[in-house]
Amino acid sequence: MLSAISGVFSSDMAIDLGTANTLIYVKGKGIVLNEPSVVAYHVRDGKKQVLEVGEDAKLMLGRTPGSIEAIRPMRDGVIADFDVAEAMIKHFIRKVNKRGKPKIIVCVPYGATPVEKKAIRESVLAAGARKAGLIAEPIAAAIGAGLPITDPTGSMIVDIGGGTTEVAVLSLGDIVYARSVRVGGDRMDEAIISYLRRQHNLLVGEATAERIKTTIGSARVPADGRGQAMEIRGRDLLNGVPKETEITQAQVAEALAEPVQQICEAVMTALEATPPDLAADIVDRGVMLTGGGALLGDLDLALREQTGLAISVADDALNCVALGTGKSLEFERRLQHVIDYGTSN
């Protein structure tokens, strides 16, 4: 009875608990929160005390004194630090829901293990949910991108997030084939950091690498062999002093060659494993790219060269997973076969 009453006063929500950003979709309102998945805390008497969460905590990344730590509690799309993740989820839920215990659907990577799924479900329940459901990320991305996944035809989705890339073939409302590779936006940032260290003897932080990727990042070397350029600052590894240098689009493309190739290989592997009739549908319909990584310059062209298929980027690529998870909440009856409420609810 109490649970039913609290449900009336709470707004059911869908959460895209991403490695880089957490998005919350409230039923009937749409996406109401989009903040970095970052928590800053300090340890007092052996206990972690949270200081900042989200946008404010992200500003502290790489800039904290010894007494404070700023971390991402999600790694490769799953929880890496249980306590900190729970505090982060609780903070975000309270920010958008002031009263009652909402029902929450969370999207999880297709490759998440039962232990990882259990950790996410328990964190959400501990954060105040009355019921916690899980939906596979490729399904959520496909729904958010507007693909006709309930039709008896094949649709292929490639969702490139912060920690993972999910490649899936869907038909009749479920996954026919899926593969989750632990390559995403974070791996691209790491590739840029290691390239600058190797080629320029320059040490830069994650924030600088991300800025390079979003400003002049490209999956292909520009036609003129150089492309755009930008000034960057870091620490000179030879003499230890701060240094400013220039990096070109061609150099960034070279730095990103390996993660881009890994994404291309995941798509090729999925195409090889797809049943022939569904493969014929994919030739007709092409492949849809979603997620923040889909916005990398010329990634669609690089994939087109490798696969020979039509590749398109979703209209709202960044928010597709959150929108799809939200739609699964709005049309729960029609999509109940893809939502896993487990045995704990």
Side-chain angles (χ1 to χ4, degrees):
M1 177 71 176
L2 280 171
S3 171
I5 292 168
S6 71
V8 172
F9 292 110
S10 68
S11 302
D12 291 343
M13 58 182 75
I15 302 179
D16 172 10
L17 202 56
T19 307
N21 292 288
T22 294
L23 286 82
I24 294 184
Y25 178 110
V26 171
K27 195 172 183 177
K29 293 181 184 172
I31 295 171
V32 295
L33 180 135
N34 181 355
E35 290 210 33
S37 304
V38 184
V39 178
Y41 65 87
H42 64 171
V43 179
R44 187 167 285 173
D45 303 327
K47 278 191 170 182
K48 291 175 183 172
Q49 293 190 337
V50 175
L51 299 172
E52 296 289 353
V53 179
E55 211 67 67
D56 294 331
K58 190 181 180 182
L59 296 173
M60 298 181 180
L61 274 177
R63 292 186 168 95
T64 55
S67 57
I68 297 171
E69 224 177 310
I71 66 156
R72 287 176 165 178
M74 307 295 295
R75 197 167 298 133
D76 299 330
V78 292
I79 293 175
D81 189 314
F82 193 85
D83 296 334
V84 176
E86 198 176 297
M88 180 182 81
I89 295 166
K90 202 173 277 185
H91 172 89
F92 288 147
I93 290 173
R94 282 184 184 154
K95 204 166 179 179
V96 298
N97 182 61
K98 304 295 183 204
R99 54 185 182 174
K101 291 168 81 72
K103 173 170 67 182
I104 295 176
I105 296 176
V106 187
C107 69
V108 291
Y110 177 77
T113 64
V115 172
E116 288 167 339
K117 287 178 182 176
K118 189 168 183 273
I120 289 174
R121 185 180 276 115
E122 285 178 359
S123 276
V124 171
L125 289 169
R130 74 174 188 278
K131 196 176 181 187
L134 305 178
I135 183 171
E137 211 166 290
I139 294 178
I143 295 168
L147 293 181
I149 65 159
T150 52
D151 291 0
T153 51
S155 298
M156 189 173 196
I157 190 97
V158 181
D159 179 56
I160 307 160
T164 57
T165 291
E166 311 266 312
V167 184
V169 176
L170 304 131
S171 178
L172 291 167
D174 215 340
I175 292 170
V176 177
Y177 171 89
R179 186 157 180 245
S180 182
V181 287
R182 303 214 159 177
V183 180
D186 288 352
R187 192 65 59 85
M188 292 178 190
D189 295 345
E190 286 164 21
I192 291 169
I193 291 169
S194 107
Y195 177 86
L196 288 168
R197 188 189 284 131
R198 259 188 350 261
Q199 301 293 331
H200 292 266
N201 289 312
L202 186 74
L203 186 64
V204 298
E206 283 176 26
T208 301
E210 190 181 1
R211 201 170 70 250
I212 294 167
K213 178 186 71 186
T214 53
T215 310
I216 60 167
S218 177
R220 292 160 86 237
V221 176
D224 66 355
R226 178 182 160 83
Q228 293 172 274
M230 71 181 279
E231 293 292 322
I232 53 163
R233 297 179 186 90
R235 192 174 81 229
D236 190 326
L237 289 168
L238 296 178
N239 55 26
V241 298
K243 169 183 160 185
E244 187 174 39
T245 190
E246 185 185 74
I247 185 168
T248 66
Q249 209 161 13
Q251 290 172 322
V252 179
E254 192 186 326
L256 295 176
E258 194 184 334
V260 166
Q261 187 55 36
Q262 285 175 304
I263 292 168
C264 289
E265 281 168 12
V267 173
M268 292 299 288
T269 306
L271 289 167
E272 284 165 20
T274 303
D277 288 343
L278 292 177
D281 293 337
I282 292 164
V283 171
D284 289 341
R285 291 162 173 266
V287 177
M288 181 67 80
L289 303 185
T290 64
L295 302 176
L296 179 70
D298 286 347
L299 181 61
D300 52 341
L301 296 177
L303 279 167
R304 194 173 300 161
E305 282 171 4
Q306 291 254 353
T307 62
L309 296 172
I311 310 282
S312 49
V313 179
D315 290 341
D316 193 358
L318 266 175
N319 299 328
C320 272
V321 173
L323 290 168
T325 311
K327 280 182 188 169
S328 73
L329 187 69
E330 304 272 7
F331 304 105
E332 196 178 346
R333 241 179 222 147
R334 244 173 44 210
L335 296 164
Q336 58 187 355
H337 64 288
V338 297
I339 303 167
D340 171 20
Y341 281 110
T343 52
S344 57
N345 291 285

